[in-house]
Amino acid sequence: MKHNFGAGPCILPQEVFKKAAAAVIDFNGLSILEVSHRSADFVAVMEEARENVKKALNVPAGYTVLFLQGGASLGFLITAYNMMGKHKRAGYINTGTWATNAIKEAKGIGLDVVEIASSQDKGFSYIPKGFEIPEDIDFLHFTSNNTIAGTQFKDFPKTNVPLVCDMSSDIFSKEINVADFDIIYAGAQKNLGPAGATLYIVKDEILGKSTAEHIPSYLDLAIHAKKDSMFNTPPVYSVFVANLNLQHMLENGGVQAIAKENQAKAELIYKTIDENPLFEGTTAVEDRSEMNVTFRLTDESLTDKFNAAWNAAGIVGLKGHRSVGGFRASMYNALPLSSVEVLVDVMNNFNK
Ligand SMILES: *Cc1c(COP(=O)(O)O)cnc(C)c1O
């Protein structure tokens, strides 16, 4: 078996892969790939998946869970449309590529975007702090984990302004207080399931309150909520496998247990990066991501040799994003500590 450090689509537990494979052949006498999304069997899966998200994240009453399509990239537009309020102005914290893309979509539908803070001056290598949040904005949008740069908010912004968060790459990695947010959204393929579904956790109060002149039906969360996430054909297989993963998560200590594992994995690799003179981290130490660990060789002429070493150890997906360079070890929930140990061994042996 290879060790998958890829940034997404992500590794999932082997048990989930086995059950997912079995259902392609037989899901109550049909293949899961051919089953009607209106069948009682699949409606039950959709309802269970929505419930399991609530269980895993302790979602309070007054929130609706939806599985839609379009990825987080369509989420940039969906959140902007649905959160547009009386100010027609929104605050965005710019912490990297994905936040930049979110800003672009918000501007595109006529929102007056205030860039509250940005870490662009240092290549998005840190999380901005100490910024002021104006009151006359409809919402504040931020990206909890920056998949490409390798930074992560350790504390979420404190404000009375409604919060919207792209949690694509760290949702279910640790406990969160859902009540602090009006919308949380996440592409499934980083920590939840296969690509295809996008998760939305939406405060019911905001549904149908947009001041946008017209919202295309598919982008209107109120329509999806009214139809119980079945406005049109949902991404059946992606939801099915995400639910298997949620079941697996809940049977194994839930998000609390996962958070401990993730901390142990992150501690091990960052310790290695800090102690081994051949490597250096690329982000501010206090903002280091537990999910996406970015680092580089102190001597870049060793790149080919290091590539050969981790390839030989069965590691895949370690190459850094083209905009950052270096290396990126993505350590999503299902990546075992033993895989991180293999990588750390490669790094330490490389030093010898
Ligand atoms: C991957 C990613 C995206 C883009 O997700 P798609 O589902 O491919 O549109 C957006 N935001 C973050 C934080 C990501 O990690």
Side-chain angles (χ1 to χ4, degrees), residues 70-74 76 98 143 145-147 166 168-169 187 189-190 198:
S73 296
L74 191 62
F76 303 152
W98 298 120
T143 316
N145 182 72
N146 297 282
T147 323
D166 172 4
S168 290
S169 54
Q189 72 276 14
K190 306 279 170 54
T198 314

